[in-house]
Amino acid sequence: MTTSDLFDDLPRLNKDVVFTPTRAAGLAQLETFVSRMGDHYTAQRNYDLGAQDRSTASALSPWIRHRLITEEEVLTRALARHSPSAASKFVQEVFWRGYFKGWLEQHPSVWKAFRHDLRLAYARLENDEVLKHDYTDATEGRSGIACFDHWVNELVQTGYLHNHARMWFASIWIFSLRLPWQLGADFFMQHLLDGDPASNTLSWRWVGGLHTKGKTYLARASNIAKYTGGRFNPEGQLAGLAIALEELEEHPFVPLPLPSTAPQSKTLRLITEEDCYPEIGAIQSDAPVLRVFTPMPEQSEQVRAFKQAALQDTEVLSSANWAACVIEAAQAAGTREVITAHAPVGPTATHLAQAKPLLEREGITLHQQMRAYDCLTWPHANKGFFKLKKQIPKILAQLDLKP
Ligand SMILES: Cc1cc2nc3c(=O)[nH]c(=O)nc-3n(C[C@H](O)[C@H](O)[C@H](O)COP(=O)(O)OP(=O)(O)OC[C@H]3O[C@@H](n4cnc5c(N)ncnc54)[C@H](O)[C@@H]3O)c2cc1C
């Protein structure tokens, strides 16, 4: 049985959207939603109507996250169907992903600090009975706050939450349940099909007041009641105040990588979960392919299976195997040049950084190719989102994405 078969057998909890990990399914969802990317999205996007009705947002994130479909493709369809002003809200939201990716790329110590502090938080759990009890209640849907408990179950079962539910969830986790934000961010990474080192870590930091320093997001019962269509109203159960989290560590700016050198001869294409279809707009080549994948230890079976199927049922490797596997495949292909899509900050980038010197020892060069979209977007993602937002029309023109 392949992992794709496994997905066919999953309970169809999202009546509207089944997150099948193929490019074809992503393109089909794109076509389903394209008529709603204009005024409908602008008016409805904040409403979370639950897993039975995903009509208010595109639900494209699991496919975009793994680049089974690309931001460029999504923007092209939005602007072909709607006027620039009607599509502007949707277009901006798509650019939020590029903003977070570019920002983390230029502040990589945030990811390192998150992983470090997460290990400390898990160690604390072992020694602090009260914390362990509260954490277990929260992650098993027994916090006593009905909406929160519902979102825990929705997340675990479907691998997805609406953006507004993610904001409320993170806010309740940090300010009402007073749990360490790193454990909440990791709970999302374990279960979200679109779990992304940049969008997830930086969104949690944004809610907690660490991204835009001192500015927090406070979930309010009236807002939840309105935007869940009256399904929930946690009146009297939520914190009334959100005091910004603080951290001692500074996160210095690091320049973006220089463009990678181009391979001189025959290559091997290395495909990772960061960009499952680099041949769509990034790496024009029909060279032999090697797909590599190592799940993060804590990832849910649903997330692991999504990624593995997105990589066309590639074998799961232990992290130590990457260099050996690439060397073997390069030798079999008769080449010393390997090309891959640039892996942004996160576990894949770490695996590649560890493999690179071992490849070099064998005389194999690893070229990491950045997509035009990232090259144009990321340089504007080093401060607040507004700086990038101002550049959107120019970037769209540079990408030749005209209505
Ligand atoms: C606490 C928290 C954690 C999050 N974790 C993740 C994550 O791990 N992975 C992830 O892809 N997004 C994350 N987001 C951002 C956002 O919630 C999701 O991208 C969005 O809900 C996906 O649903 P959609 O495809 O229907 O979005 P739509 O509203 O239809 O937007 C279209 C696309 O634009 C991008 N996008 C939209 N809003 C955002 C945003 N605020 N930030 C970044 N990209 C955005 C996504 O690629 C999305 O698929 C998080 C947000 C919060 C508040």
Side-chain angles (χ1 to χ4, degrees), residues 20 32 43 89 139 158 184 230 261 292 295 304 343 363 380 384:
T20 306
T32 303
K89 196 69 217 169
T139 53
T158 69
T261 49
V292 282
R304 191 199 57 71
H380 306 292

Side-chain angles (χ1 to χ4, degrees), residues 198-266:
S199 295
N200 189 56
T201 315
L202 299 181
S203 295
W204 275 84
R205 287 172 58 85
W206 178 83
V207 169
L210 291 168
H211 185 69
T212 311
K213 291 233 176 309
K215 187 173 173 287
T216 53
Y217 175 75
L218 181 65
R220 292 185 194 279
S222 57
N223 183 265
I224 293 175
K226 176 173 174 188
Y227 287 108
T228 57
R231 289 183 300 133
F232 301 105
N233 189 349
E235 187 64 50
Q237 289 189 291
L238 306 186
L241 201 62
I243 296 173
L245 303 175
E246 287 177 11
E247 65 186 345
L248 295 174
E249 194 174 342
E250 295 282 329
H251 296 294
F253 168 82
V254 172
L256 289 168
L258 294 170
S260 169
T261 49
Q264 298 301 311
S265 59
K266 204 174 154 193

Side-chain angles (χ1 to χ4, degrees), residues 160-347:
Y160 176 88
L161 284 180
H162 185 279
N163 179 58
H164 223 160
R166 297 182 198 208
M167 291 163 63
W168 296 320
F169 186 115
S171 179
I172 293 172
W173 179 284
I174 298 170
F175 301 116
S176 300
L177 303 176
R178 305 180 74 82
L179 289 164
W181 74 267
Q182 294 90 346
L183 292 176
D186 190 53
F187 185 63
F188 268 26
M189 286 300 281
Q190 288 171 31
H191 294 286
L192 279 173
L193 296 175
D194 63 29
D196 181 271
S199 295
N200 189 56
T201 315
L202 299 181
S203 295
W204 275 84
R205 287 172 58 85
W206 178 83
V207 169
L210 291 168
H211 185 69
T212 311
K213 291 233 176 309
K215 187 173 173 287
T216 53
Y217 175 75
L218 181 65
R220 292 185 194 279
S222 57
N223 183 265
I224 293 175
K226 176 173 174 188
Y227 287 108
T228 57
R231 289 183 300 133
F232 301 105
N233 189 349
E235 187 64 50
Q237 289 189 291
L238 306 186
L241 201 62
I243 296 173
L245 303 175
E246 287 177 11
E247 65 186 345
L248 295 174
E249 194 174 342
E250 295 282 329
H251 296 294
F253 168 82
V254 172
L256 289 168
L258 294 170
S260 169
T261 49
Q264 298 301 311
S265 59
K266 204 174 154 193
T267 55
L268 172 74
R269 275 182 297 158
L270 181 65
I271 299 191
T272 71
E273 62 168 281
E274 297 304 322
D275 200 324
C276 292
Y277 277 88
E279 60 269 38
I280 313 292
I283 298 174
Q284 262 78 41
S285 158
D286 54 4
V289 165
L290 171 69
R291 294 184 169 80
V292 282
F293 169 55
T294 305
M296 290 173 82
E298 57 280 7
Q299 260 158 5
S300 75
E301 170 63 13
Q302 187 173 211
V303 170
R304 191 199 57 71
F306 186 96
K307 290 178 186 293
Q308 207 181 343
L311 283 164
Q312 303 179 21
D313 287 315
T314 191
E315 183 188 337
V316 169
L317 294 178
S318 85
S319 52
N321 279 152
W322 280 43
C325 206
V326 174
I327 292 165
E328 192 187 316
Q331 282 166 352
T335 177
R336 288 172 181 275
E337 308 241 38
V338 178
I339 187 158
T340 192
H342 173 79
V345 169

Side-chain angles (χ1 to χ4, degrees), residues 145-167:
I145 302 173
C147 53
F148 182 90
D149 293 341
H150 174 91
W151 295 321
V152 168
N153 290 318
E154 184 181 336
L155 171 63
V156 171
Q157 288 176 34
T158 69
Y160 176 88
L161 284 180
H162 185 279
N163 179 58
H164 223 160
R166 297 182 198 208
M167 291 163 63

Side-chain angles (χ1 to χ4, degrees), residues 5 56 77 150 160 176 209 263 346 371:
D5 297 330
T56 59
R77 292 298 292 128
H150 174 91
Y160 176 88
S176 300
R371 284 183 178 271

Side-chain angles (χ1 to χ4, degrees), residues 21-92:
T22 62
R23 177 165 162 78
L27 289 172
Q29 178 62 14
L30 174 57
E31 287 316 308
T32 303
F33 194 73
V34 73
S35 64
R36 293 184 234 143
M37 287 175 181
D39 297 339
H40 173 93
Y41 183 82
T42 309
Q44 301 293 320
R45 57 181 280 271
N46 284 327
Y47 285 90
D48 172 18
L49 306 177
Q52 313 305 324
D53 184 351
R54 301 268 191 226
S55 62
T56 59
S58 72
L60 285 171
S61 51
W63 291 284
I64 297 176
R65 154 69 181 96
H66 298 94
R67 287 201 158 148
L68 286 162
I69 62 173
T70 66
E71 289 99 319
E72 224 176 307
E73 289 177 304
V74 173
L75 294 169
T76 303
R77 292 298 292 128
L79 291 166
R81 185 67 178 256
H82 304 276
S83 69
S85 67
S88 67
K89 196 69 217 169
F90 182 77
V91 167
Q92 265 170 42

